Amino acid sequence: MLRDIGYGILCFLSISTFMTVVSTEYQICINKTTPMLTDEQRLYMVLMNNYDSNTRPVFNASQPVNVTIGITLTQIFDVDEKNQVITTNIWLDQSWIDEKIKWDPKDYNGLTVLRMPCKSLWLPDIVTYNSAEDYTDGYMEALAMVSHDGSVFWPPIVKLRSTCFIDITYYPFDDQICKMKMGSWAYDGFQVDVFNSKKGIDLSNFVSNGEWELVGVKSVRNVITYTCCPEPFPDVTFMLHIRRRTLYYTYNVIIPCIMLSILTLLGFWMRPDSGEKVTLGLTVLLAFSVFMLLIADNMPATSNFVPLIGIYLTTVMSLTSVSVILAVVTSNINQRGFREVDVPRWFRKCVIGLGRVMCFQMIHLTNETPEDIQMIPLHIKGYTHTMKNTFSNDSGCSLIEYENGDCHPNNQNQQNQQNLKMTATQCNTREGNWELEEILRRLKILIDKDDEKDRVDFYSKRWIEAAEIIDRFFFIIFIIGTTLSSVLLLVVMPLIKSVSIEGEIPVL
């Protein structure tokens, strides 16, 4: 009984196998002879027969699917420094071997490559690890190019937004290294292994950006073991070395700042008594504050870095603030002459030393007393001597002649003595003596007032000259400080900057 059942089962299996072979051969024969189907249609129907797109296309489950990743960079749309995001347009080139899709081109009139919908095939779950997107849209449903040997090439177009660590230390002369880390998200390295292509990043279709210059590119394969899983997860990291174009910032930020710095220097050439030195300094300081606010709006709110342009603006703003303070000081020095006090000896020596160092031509500070004051004692001495010797008994007429220059005491001494003798009886009275004393007293008051006026003017000129010398000294100090800060921060620092990354990125 059991033997009969075994023979029956064997006969059934033999008949079913024969019918399957006959059916397959019949279908192939029908496909070859049916004129209604094209070669691509017949090939697609044969390839998709019993094809499952949900499983890896390898017959041996212990073998991984090797996926080669490369990108074709077409454009850099934007670099958002505040949010630290870079937006690029790329063609994500992916290729692998599908062992379930192979055919003989001779059976299909030499057809070697077939374009197929990507949904019909197994696709690697390649994602950007540092993407700034929400992963809801996915990749473009582009056709996959399948070759007769089983190789599949799938290049979807992707507008990629990825995070980029922005170092604004040398802004606006900064270089940035933006990375795009790509790999399989669910499969480990034993199931899907990723490699970088030979080209890495293709730039044959790249369109240059007006704000950023592409300096170099590089692709690196990494194998990382994460804490979640013991299996390794390989990835391919694409690095873009971009450099900011500085022409825009030079014309709109740097040149106006230099012009404002020049205005700050010109403030030292204004007269301290003009009253506009402080106003000019405050106006320039407000203009620098506006530039600082404009730059701060475009910078990320971080305390890790201070931009170079911010350091420069802070430096020139500090110099401008100090110039305002010094303008107040020099104005105060200039106004001290109206207090009718002389320049202190120690201060005058310091100012004279500064003036000689700067080759400043000094007139009043180097003189001990003014010329007018030097001549006043001689006049008084001549008056008193003459009055005692010649005009002691005169009624005042000879004094008037002496003031008018009609005669000179030394040359006409004898004539005056004769005139005095002739008029002695007329003028030698008490009333005449009183009139002479009153004239001498009034004359002395006028001489003292003129002397005081000359002395005050001399002190005032001394203070004014000291203020001018101090202004000239501060001008030299500020022009040296402004020049050094501008050259150091705007020329030297951008030239000596260094970009530190993992390995060197070759320059294009």
Side-chain angles (χ1 to χ4, degrees):
M1 186 66 180
L2 293 174
R3 183 181 296 177
D4 294 336
I5 293 175
Y7 280 122
I9 294 174
L10 181 61
C11 292
F12 176 78
L13 292 175
S14 300
I15 292 172
S16 62
T17 301
F18 176 77
M19 292 301 294
T20 301
V21 172
V22 171
S23 177
T24 303
E25 293 295 329
Y26 177 77
Q27 184 67 30
I28 294 175
C29 183
I30 291 298
N31 290 340
K32 290 182 179 181
T33 57
T34 303
M36 298 301 294
L37 299 177
T38 62
D39 293 333
E40 294 183 358
Q41 287 177 316
R42 291 187 295 107
L43 178 58
Y44 182 77
M45 293 173 62
V46 171
L47 295 178
M48 293 295 100
N49 187 22
N50 296 326
Y51 185 87
D52 188 4
S53 61
N54 296 319
T55 58
R56 293 184 303 123
V58 288
F59 292 106
N60 188 353
S62 63
Q63 297 295 325
V65 179
N66 296 326
V67 180
T68 302
I69 304 176
I71 64 173
T72 300
L73 183 64
T74 58
Q75 190 177 4
I76 298 176
F77 280 108
D78 181 45
V79 178
D80 188 355
E81 296 94 344
K82 194 164 189 176
N83 297 317
Q84 303 196 49
V85 174
I86 181 174
T87 304
T88 55
N89 189 23
I90 64 172
W91 303 346
L92 183 56
D93 304 331
Q94 306 173 64
S95 60
W96 65 92
I97 299 296
D98 194 329
E99 297 179 0
K100 297 187 294 184
I101 301 179
K102 291 183 180 181
W103 70 89
D104 188 1
K106 297 179 181 179
D107 297 335
Y108 300 94
N109 297 322
L111 181 61
T112 57
V113 179
L114 179 64
R115 270 73 174 177
M116 299 177 60
C118 60
K119 289 185 177 181
S120 302
L121 300 174
W122 175 87
L123 300 175
D125 58 337
I126 303 298
V127 296
T128 305
Y129 282 36
N130 60 330
S131 176
E133 297 287 355
D134 53 4
Y135 292 104
T136 57
D137 296 334
Y139 294 141
M140 172 187 177
E141 295 183 358
L143 295 176
M145 292 174 282
V146 182
S147 299
H148 64 92
D149 57 353
S151 61
V152 182
F153 179 68
W154 183 43
I157 299 177
V158 182
K159 187 175 182 179
L160 188 63
R161 296 182 73 250
S162 58
T163 59
C164 179
F165 182 73
I166 304 296
D167 184 356
I168 58 172
T169 302
Y170 296 99
Y171 178 89
F173 307 97
D174 53 332
D175 287 32
Q176 305 297 336
I177 303 298
C178 294
K179 301 180 180 180
M180 294 176 286
K181 182 179 179 180
M182 297 184 179
S184 176
W185 183 255
Y187 294 105
D188 56 56
F190 299 129
Q191 296 173 322
V192 175
D193 199 358
V194 296
F195 299 89
N196 53 334
S197 62
K198 295 181 179 179
K199 289 186 177 180
I201 301 179
D202 186 7
L203 301 176
S204 57
N205 297 294
F206 179 72
V207 179
S208 61
N209 185 273
E211 183 180 1
W212 294 91
E213 176 188 2
L214 185 62
V215 179
V217 294
K218 186 180 181 181
S219 61
V220 179
R221 179 179 181 269
N222 305 304
V223 179
I224 303 175
T225 301
Y226 297 96
T227 56
C228 65
C229 312
E231 298 84 3
F233 283 83
D235 65 78
V236 177
T237 302
F238 301 97
M239 291 179 284
L240 306 179
H241 181 186
I242 56 178
R243 178 175 299 161
R244 193 187 303 270
R245 301 180 187 271
T246 59
L247 183 61
Y248 171 82
Y249 299 93
T250 301
Y251 275 94
N252 293 277
V253 178
I254 296 176
I255 292 180
C257 289
I258 294 176
M259 295 173 65
L260 291 175
S261 300
I262 295 174
L263 290 180
T264 303
L265 296 176
L266 292 179
F268 290 102
W269 285 89
M270 298 179 64
R271 291 182 58 86
D273 55 351
S274 63
E276 298 296 332
K277 293 171 66 68
V278 178
T279 304
L280 178 62
L282 293 177
T283 304
V284 174
L285 187 62
L286 291 176
F288 278 126
S289 301
V290 172
F291 278 105
M292 180 68 79
L293 293 176
L294 292 176
I295 294 175
D297 290 339
N298 297 325
M299 290 296 97
T302 178
S303 299
N304 296 329
F305 310 101
V306 178
L308 191 64
I309 189 66
I311 297 175
Y312 174 71
L313 287 177
T314 304
T315 302
V316 294
M317 285 177 64
S318 301
L319 293 175
T320 305
S321 302
V322 174
S323 70
V324 174
I325 297 174
L326 296 178
V328 175
V329 172
T330 53
S331 298
N332 182 268
I333 293 174
N334 181 79
Q335 296 297 324
R336 280 183 175 270
F338 295 98
R339 299 182 182 180
E340 301 181 4
V341 292
D342 194 9
V343 180
R345 183 176 298 274
W346 65 270
F347 183 70
R348 185 161 61 92
K349 289 182 178 180
C350 295
V351 174
I352 290 174
L354 291 177
R356 289 174 179 175
V357 171
M358 296 182 296
C359 300
F360 188 88
Q361 185 177 1
M362 293 172 288
I363 301 176
H364 304 285
L365 287 173
T366 54
N367 293 334
E368 293 295 334
T369 54
E371 296 180 357
D372 295 337
I373 296 178
Q374 290 178 358
M375 294 301 296
I376 289 173
L378 298 179
H379 291 172
I380 296 176
K381 182 178 180 181
Y383 281 140
T384 55
H385 179 73
T386 305
M387 294 304 171
K388 290 180 180 180
N389 296 331
T390 60
F391 302 141
S392 57
N393 297 321
D394 191 14
S395 62
C397 300
S398 299
L399 179 62
I400 295 174
E401 293 177 355
Y402 175 81
E403 288 293 327
N404 294 331
D406 295 337
C407 60
H408 195 276
N410 295 329
N411 298 331
Q412 299 179 356
N413 191 15
Q414 296 178 355
Q415 184 178 358
N416 290 335
Q417 291 179 358
Q418 294 177 0
N419 293 333
L420 287 173
K421 290 179 180 180
M422 295 173 63
T423 58
T425 55
Q426 299 177 0
C427 298
N428 192 12
T429 61
R430 181 176 298 178
E431 183 179 358
N433 293 333
W434 180 86
E435 291 178 356
L436 179 61
E437 292 177 357
E438 183 67 17
I439 292 173
L440 292 176
R441 187 180 65 83
R442 296 289 182 93
L443 181 61
K444 187 176 183 302
I445 293 174
L446 293 177
I447 294 174
D448 291 340
K449 288 184 178 180
D450 188 66
D451 184 16
E452 182 69 17
K453 181 180 178 182
D454 291 341
R455 184 175 61 84
V456 172
D457 291 342
F458 179 70
Y459 291 162
S460 177
K461 291 177 181 180
R462 271 190 171 183
W463 285 108
I464 293 175
E465 194 172 66
E468 291 178 356
I469 294 175
I470 293 175
D471 256 348
R472 186 68 56 83
F473 173 72
F474 286 143
F475 169 76
I476 296 175
I477 296 298
F478 269 71
I479 196 172
I480 293 175
T482 304
T483 304
L484 288 179
S485 61
S486 300
V487 172
L488 179 63
L489 296 176
L490 301 180
V491 179
V492 177
M493 292 296 291
L495 291 178
I496 65 175
K497 65 181 177 181
S498 60
V499 180
S500 134
I501 59 172
E502 298 177 358
E504 295 183 357
I505 297 182
V507 179
L508 298 177

